[in-house]
Amino acid sequence: MAFKIASSPHVSTSLHTNTVMKRVAFCLIPGIAVQSYYFGFGTLVQILLAVSVAYLAEAAVMKLRNKNIKATLSDNSALVTACLLAVAIPSLAPWWLIVIGTLFAIVIVKQLYGGLGNNVFNPAMAAYVLLLISFPVQMTSWVAPQTIAMNHASLLTSVQTIFEINQSFAAEYFRLGIDGIAMATPLDTLKTDLSMGLTTTESLAKPIFSGLAAEGWFGVNLAYLVGGLVMLKLKVIRWHISVAIIASLFVCASFGFLVSPDTFVSPLMHLFSGGTMLAAFFIATDPVTAATSPRGRLIFGAMIGVLIYLIRTFGGYPDAVAFAVLLANMCAPFIDYYVRPRSYGHRTGK
């Protein structure tokens, strides 16, 4: 029997970028499906619009740089970026909002830094923050969950509202709950109520809250959790960042809730509201903008979890995911520098 001799590294071939991105997009499907169920067909329209703009923008930049357009588009990174941004904004946001955000994510955050592998910040979250700061009204106009909504938007109505074709349809019309009151996001409602002197118990009595967490958002986060676990099973991501985010957020929220349950919400509310699970499995785990070593990833994830809690509790923005991820992105090189794995054969002393 012949013995094959090969040079190092003696490891199996890693997944190609396009395969990884396809699997990430595939694992987003459960979350997208549940989000579309609770918040209408507008989510799907936003995704289609974002993906179209992302591919066109990336192709245009590659043309200007005299690069291979087909090779760049086939890595599917633009697809994932577009989907992440589309599910992060309100389902009936005007069309120009997702266009501006997608162009900023692809052209400025990604390609201006040299393309995939060179960007410092997560493109989807950087675009989200840009839109939130620039257009706060449009970015906070979420429709009421279908289960408690007074008015439901069909696919045609969603298209008309997003593209502003028929002015008789407006996002505000679909924000009305069963009591005829315009619904804000659960985290925003809670923060507003606490600032007005209400207790968490009084705030949680509103229709937008039900069960373990917020109406609609619990199911959405649970679906993204399922998709994230599938990614772990497929070895698309490693567990360090996701577990660190969830654990650190849980610990911080538990401590606050034990100290003052009238002014702080339960850990489950933090874990299954807003974009927590989306961030833990699909956003923070971006290998380009995260820390690289196992210990570094644990620190990176724990930092995001703590920042999410602090900004949600004491900051001005109800859902702090995007800000927490971007702040951690800035610290990733610092973490990698001080948490470098020891070289094989290194001696610590005599």
Side-chain angles (χ1 to χ4, degrees):
M1 181 182 295
F3 183 75
K4 183 179 179 181
I5 300 176
S7 62
S8 61
H10 307 287
V11 294
S12 60
T13 304
S14 59
L15 295 174
H16 293 291
T17 301
N18 62 344
T19 302
V20 171
M21 294 299 173
K22 283 181 182 178
R23 292 186 179 183
V24 172
F26 173 78
C27 292
L28 277 169
I29 292 177
I32 293 173
V34 175
Q35 189 167 333
S36 300
Y37 169 76
Y38 280 108
F39 298 102
F41 294 104
T43 300
L44 301 178
V45 178
Q46 299 286 359
I47 290 174
L48 291 175
L49 188 57
V51 171
S52 301
V53 174
Y55 275 110
L56 289 173
E58 190 137 272
V61 173
M62 289 298 100
K63 179 68 174 179
L64 291 174
R65 295 177 61 191
N66 294 319
K67 299 289 185 178
N68 190 319
I69 298 177
K70 183 178 180 180
T72 302
L73 296 183
S74 64
D75 65 18
N76 297 308
S77 61
L79 169 66
V80 173
T81 296
C83 289
L84 291 176
L85 179 60
V87 299
I89 71 170
S91 58
L92 295 183
W95 64 270
W96 47 265
L97 197 73
I98 191 64
V99 170
I100 293 173
T102 306
L103 288 175
F104 182 79
I106 299 297
V107 178
I108 305 298
V109 185
K110 180 183 177 183
Q111 292 299 338
L112 193 63
Y113 282 87
L116 183 65
N118 298 301
N119 50 290
V120 179
F121 300 103
N122 183 285
M125 291 300 95
Y128 177 89
V129 169
L130 170 77
L131 295 176
L132 182 61
I133 294 174
S134 304
F135 311 102
V137 175
Q138 290 79 4
M139 285 294 289
T140 54
S141 297
W142 284 86
V143 299
Q146 299 289 324
T147 50
I148 58 173
M150 175 178 287
N151 307 299
H152 300 273
S154 64
L155 177 58
L156 177 59
T157 304
S158 299
V159 172
Q160 291 176 324
T161 305
I162 291 172
F163 287 95
E164 302 173 327
I165 296 174
N166 191 335
Q167 294 301 318
S168 63
F169 295 111
E172 188 70 25
Y173 177 74
F174 301 106
R175 292 184 64 201
L176 299 178
I178 52 178
D179 53 1
I181 299 175
M183 309 294 290
T185 61
L187 291 172
D188 184 54
T189 298
L190 193 59
K191 181 175 286 291
T192 302
D193 289 346
L194 291 175
S195 66
M196 296 174 62
L198 275 69
T199 64
T200 55
T201 303
E202 293 171 332
S203 182
L204 294 177
K206 294 185 175 181
I208 198 170
F209 299 102
S210 64
L212 297 176
E215 183 68 30
W217 291 100
F218 177 79
V220 171
N221 275 276
L222 189 62
Y224 284 123
L225 171 61
V226 171
L229 293 177
V230 173
M231 284 205 299
L232 287 173
K233 179 65 175 179
L234 296 175
K235 297 182 178 180
V236 175
I237 60 174
R238 298 189 179 184
W239 61 269
H240 306 78
I241 294 176
S242 303
V243 170
I245 291 175
I246 294 172
S248 59
L249 181 56
F250 182 84
V251 170
C252 291
S254 298
F255 178 78
F257 186 66
L258 290 174
V259 170
S260 179
D262 287 335
T263 54
F264 299 102
V265 294
S266 68
L268 288 178
M269 180 64 70
H270 277 284
L271 292 179
F272 292 96
S273 294
T276 303
M277 293 301 169
L278 181 67
F281 291 97
F282 293 93
I283 296 173
T285 53
D286 175 18
V288 176
T289 57
T292 55
S293 66
R295 278 197 303 162
R297 286 193 288 266
L298 287 172
I299 296 172
F300 179 83
M303 176 184 293
I304 292 176
V306 172
L307 286 172
I308 288 175
Y309 179 76
L310 292 176
I311 299 174
R312 280 181 177 178
T313 306
F314 305 106
Y317 292 94
D319 191 10
V321 164
F323 293 97
V325 170
L326 293 183
L327 289 171
N329 288 161
M330 293 193 321
C331 297
F334 178 83
I335 295 173
D336 283 335
Y337 180 80
Y338 284 100
V339 194
R340 288 177 293 183
R342 183 171 297 167
S343 303
Y344 179 75
H346 176 77
R347 297 182 62 183
T348 57
K350 295 183 180 180

